[in-house]
Structures are given as structure tokens and as C-alpha cells.
Amino acid sequence: MSRAVSRLIEACGRLSITQRSQMHFFRPPPTSSILPPLVTPSTTIVEKSIELPSLENPQQIYTFPTLHRSPIVAPGAILTEILEKLAPTAEKGFLIAPGTPNKSPMWLSPRLLTIRRKKMKKHKRRRRYDRDFFKYQKYHREKKLKSEREFQKRMKSLLTELEAFNPEKYVKDTIRMANKEWQDELAPTGRKLYPHWSRFMSLEQLYGLPKSEYIDKRAGLPTPEEAEQIKALKEKYAKLYRKK
Amino acid sequence: MINLRRFVHTSCRLERGRTAFYNVHQKVTDPAKQDPDYFEKKARELPLDQNYIDALTKLYYEKIGSERDLGLKAADNLILEKTEFGLPRIEKSKTRAKYEDLDVLSNAPESVKKIFSVEMATRKELSQEWKQSLIKSVRQHSLDENSLEMKIAWLTALIRHWSLLVNDIGQETKKKPTWLTHRIWLVINERRKALRILRERNETAFEKTIAALKISYHVPKQPAHVKTRKAWAEAQLKLRVENEKEKRLEELHEKYDKEVEEHKRETQEKRKALNNELDKLAQEMRQIDVIEGKSFETVGKYEPALISSLTETVIHSNLFYHPPPTMTEK
């Protein structure tokens, strides 16, 4: 409290005389004010400022005749508000959010949730069907009609085929198909056929072997000299490249 | 605003039905329909005109409508059967099966025998009598109690008895007793299964059983198409078209055969005429040669001296075993 009072004194000290005299009025004085004019000592120089009522926010005070007229006095100044406006302090208290009430969670088993979801889907489907019943009936009728038309078309095409059937022409076509010659240049799918290598050369020519009909049982097996050479080469390779 | 869609129906169907109505419960009164291919044969005889498709449609609806009643009755030939229902006739004075082994009844007076006879039997006892009679006609021996033939006979008696019962109940109500017809369906399916197994195991016994019980058994075949009117009609028309084409090809084949025969006959006649002409000309040429003196007419035929040659050969073979070198050189 003493700190606040000292600060108030310092602030009042900084005020000028005119401001000090005007301190009792927080708003511009109205023209219908009933307060008596202030009496100032003659020793001090007083600067009076005349404030006219503003068009934007006119202040009006109504008075009614009573037996005991009491003077209307403005409320006292709020020290905290004045201090905050004149010299705001950096020390402010932390804003604490209001605590949330302790709510209990909703317990519902997953199977029940599934059941309720399915029931709701069923309900919505039924309502939709009932609402759009005539639309669905229209779709159904159109579908049936389309299917019937296609069926009639198929049946009529079969009858037309029977009427247009000519046995002589059929026999001639069959004979022509039977006499058809095979084309070597093209595959049945139309792809161009390239001849196989076996048409141009024999196996001996392909591998550069002498042409003979004798079949040697030892063909492909190494001779003793070649076996020695192979062994030497293996040892050389083992020395050079294989781990020990 | 009043919703007029609920009060005004622009469609002829007031219900929520989705298909055109055909009576699936119609009664069959023609025994010829018991043939499983009856409607297919009728479809083959329809004329191929503008109303062919509509006629096929009507025939299919009749087929589907008859299917249920035929399923219940066709196998036992119960169409238009109102009196016996395929059940055997039993002598009224015969003692019931339950009391057949009692020796006391053989000496009892007639009034007592009548009480225990078939005439006084209840429906259940009568059913047992029918079953016993049918079982005796097909069982293998007197002690047979679990063979397929015996089972088939028992099921057959049950089917026919229940069909009789359905008919009796049908006299009072318009609707068939569903609780009974469902059981009849189950029993028919069971009997069909037993018949199939018997046919696979013993063909002779199968034929005998069918003949004795008068069951019409048709080997079931795989359906050729889905069971819809359109698929059925299309299948019938395709068969018809194939048969018609084959018929036309056969006619063409016969025509070609006749033409070939005619041509062959004409060719043979021509060849014969030409051969005759050639022979005639050759004969004239020979006559001219004879007249000119270049050749002479041969009369007779040369006959070698066979007997003397044989005699000489035999004489020589008797003299020498091997022919001499001089004769060989000759």
C-alpha cells in the first residue's frame, strides 16, 4: 500500500495545475451540469478550458424534482486503472486457463459399434429405396425392356440365318475351305515367317566338323596328351586365382 | 401440396412384384406331360412364323408352371390318379401284419377274425400293409431288411401314401398342405439318390425294381443353359435351326446321289452302244480280210495229244530214275 501511495504522489506531481483541476471529471463536463463552479485561490494562476458538447456523443443528465435533492457525485478514481494507464508495469501475472471438468469417457465396445453402423446403413438404404421407389422401378423396367429387345433381335437373326441358308453354297464353301493351300511365308496370325537355320545347313556345317556318318563313342572326351595339357592348365589356374 | 404419386399409379402392376405373373402352382391334368421332354418336343413342332417367339414364351410359362406338380407326381405316374395312387390292393379279409403270427386267430370265430383284419385297420396300419406289400415284391430274400431295393420300396410306399393324403386334404382346402408336400419332396430326393446308387451297382436289380414298383426313372443330365425363358427359347431355336440345316443338306445329298446314279446309267448305256458298234465294225473288217484272201476263217479248236504224251512220260519215268543228260539238253 505504501508503494502504491508513493507512486500516486509521484504521478500527481507530474500533472500540471490545469490537469489537476480537471481530474474529477473523467468525461467532458456537460452543459446541464448542476455542480457549482470550483473556487480557486487567488494566488495561483488558473487556465480555464471551455469544452463544448460534442455532436458525436452528447451527454444528457436528467434531474427530477424531489424533496431532498442529493448532489450527484462522480465515483472515485480507480487507482489500479490509473496506474496502469500512466505507468504500465512489466510485471504481470500469468494468465491461468480455467480447468476442464473431469468428464467420463464414453465406453462402447467395437462390436456394438459395428452392429450399430450396419443397422444404420440398412435403415438408410431402406429409406432411400422407399423414397426413390419409382425411380428404381423405372430403371428395372428399362433394363427388362432392353434385355427383351436384344433377345428378340437375337431370335430374329437366327430365323433370318435359317431363311438365308443355301445348302449348295454351304457345300461349295466347305470344299473351297478344304482345298485351301497352306502359305509358308506367313504364320496363321499374319506374322512373317523366317526359315529355320536347319533348312540351310546341317549340324556338321554349323559346327565346322568333317562330314561323316561314323559315330565315335569317345567324341568329346580328351586324349591322353590333351588330358596332360588340361591338368597343367588347371594347376596354373589354381596357383594364380584360387585361395589357398 | 398433395403427393399424387402415391394415389395415381401409371403402371398396371400395383404391387412391388418385379416379374410377370405365371401360375407356378398350376395343376397338371395331362398324363403326357410326365415325359421330361414333352415341352421340348412341342417346341420342335411349332411353326416358324411371326408368332413363333410368343408361342415359345407361352410354352415356357406352361413348362415352369407345371414343373412343381410334375416334380411331385411324375415319377410315380400319379397325374389324374384319384383312386389307388399306385398303392397295391390288399385283401380286406387278410389279417393285419401285426397279428399274422398269432396262432389263436386260426381257431377264432369269424367276428374276431374280422376285428383283426385289414378291413378294420387304421390309416397307420394300412400304410404298414402297403409298405409290406411293396417290400415283399422287390426284396432279395425273406430276411432282407437293409438292402437298397427294400429301401426304395419303402420310400415308394411312403411317397404314394402321402400323395393320397395330400389329395384327401385337398378335398377340403384350396391350398396344398405345405408341411406334407415338403416332406414328399425330401423323400422323392432320397429315393432318387437310392435309385442312382442301385443303378451304378447292379443294373439288373435296378431294372427289376423299377419294373416291379412301376417307377419312371430318367437319367438326369447336365443342364445345357441357365434356367431362364430367354435362354430356353434361344436353345430351342438353335436346335431347330441346326436340324433344319441338316435336313436341307440331306435333301441336297440325296439329290446329288440321284444325279450321280442317273449319270452313271447314261454312261453305261453309251459305253454299251459304242462297244456294240466297235464289235460290228471289227467283224466287218474280218469279213473283208477273208474275202481278199489275206486270212482265212478258223474252224474248230486245236487239242493237244494229251493221253499219248502222258503215256510216254510214264514209260520213261519207269525206265530211268533221273533224265539222261541228252534228254535234258533237248
Side-chain angles (χ1 to χ4, degrees), chain A residues 101-119:
Chain A
N102 189 11
K103 293 182 179 179
S104 62
M106 185 179 72
W107 293 100
L108 196 60
S109 57
R111 186 60 205 162
L112 268 183
L113 281 173
T114 303
I115 289 166
R116 287 171 69 176
R117 180 170 67 249
K118 289 185 186 303
K119 283 186 173 181

Side-chain angles (χ1 to χ4, degrees), chain A residues 24 38 43 59-60 75 89 140 150 154 170 181 197-198:
Chain A
H24 293 286
L38 293 175
T43 57
Q59 297 289 331
Q60 294 183 7
T89 58
H140 181 70
E150 287 181 0
R154 284 200 305 272
Y170 178 80
E181 292 189 2
W197 62 266
S198 59

Side-chain angles (χ1 to χ4, degrees), chain B residues 20-39:
Chain B
F21 176 77
Y22 57 89
N23 186 13
V24 80
H25 299 284
Q26 71 183 14
K27 293 193 173 184
V28 180
T29 56
D30 186 6
K33 290 182 180 177
Q34 292 177 148
D35 182 7
D37 293 331
Y38 171 81
F39 294 99

Side-chain angles (χ1 to χ4, degrees), chain B residues 283-296:
Chain B
Q283 192 173 358
E284 288 179 356
M285 290 296 292
R286 283 201 296 277
Q287 290 287 338
I288 289 169
D289 286 346
V290 168
I291 289 168
E292 288 179 356
K294 292 181 180 179
S295 65
F296 54 90

Side-chain angles (χ1 to χ4, degrees), chain A residues 230-244:
Chain A
I230 288 168
K231 189 175 179 182
L233 286 173
K234 276 188 177 180
E235 289 174 358
K236 183 180 176 183
Y237 180 86
K239 284 181 182 179
L240 284 176
Y241 301 109
R242 285 183 185 173
K243 292 183 178 179
K244 297 180 181 179

Side-chain angles (χ1 to χ4, degrees), chain A residues 140 148 154 161-162, chain B residues 5 18 229 234 245 248:
Chain A
H140 181 70
E148 183 69 23
R154 284 200 305 272
E161 180 191 350
L162 179 61
Chain B
R5 294 171 61 193
R18 290 176 163 267
R229 171 182 67 84
E234 201 165 339
K245 285 182 179 178
R248 292 183 187 180

Side-chain angles (χ1 to χ4, degrees), chain A residues 129-137 140-141 144 147-149 151-159 161-172, chain B residues 5-6 8-11 13 15-19 48-49 52-54 56-57 229-231 233-234 237-238 240-241 244-246 248-249 252 255-256:
Chain A
Y129 186 78
D130 289 345
R131 184 186 70 224
D132 301 325
F133 172 71
F134 289 98
K135 185 169 76 172
Y136 292 135
Q137 282 293 310
H140 181 70
R141 257 184 269 112
K144 281 278 188 180
S147 178
E148 183 69 23
R149 286 202 190 105
F151 165 70
Q152 296 276 343
K153 190 187 294 184
R154 284 200 305 272
M155 296 290 274
K156 284 186 168 54
S157 71
L158 283 172
L159 287 170
E161 180 191 350
L162 179 61
E163 287 177 2
F165 178 72
N166 187 4
E168 293 184 3
K169 182 171 178 295
Y170 178 80
V171 169
K172 287 177 182 177
Chain B
R5 294 171 61 193
R6 293 293 173 184
V8 176
H9 291 275
T10 58
S11 170
R13 304 193 197 97
E15 302 293 335
R16 292 193 172 203
R18 290 176 163 267
T19 56
L48 289 171
D49 51 4
Y52 176 72
I53 300 171
D54 294 332
L56 272 183
T57 300
R229 171 182 67 84
K230 298 185 182 73
E234 201 165 339
L237 183 54
K238 281 181 179 176
R240 189 75 175 271
V241 165
E244 192 70 21
K245 285 182 179 178
E246 285 294 324
R248 292 183 187 180
L249 287 172
L252 186 67
K255 180 186 168 188
Y256 281 165

Side-chain angles (χ1 to χ4, degrees), chain A residues 174-189:
Chain A
T174 306
I175 292 169
R176 183 167 56 82
M177 291 293 288
N179 292 332
K180 194 172 184 179
E181 292 189 2
W182 182 254
Q183 294 284 339
D184 283 342
E185 288 83 10
L186 295 180
T189 55

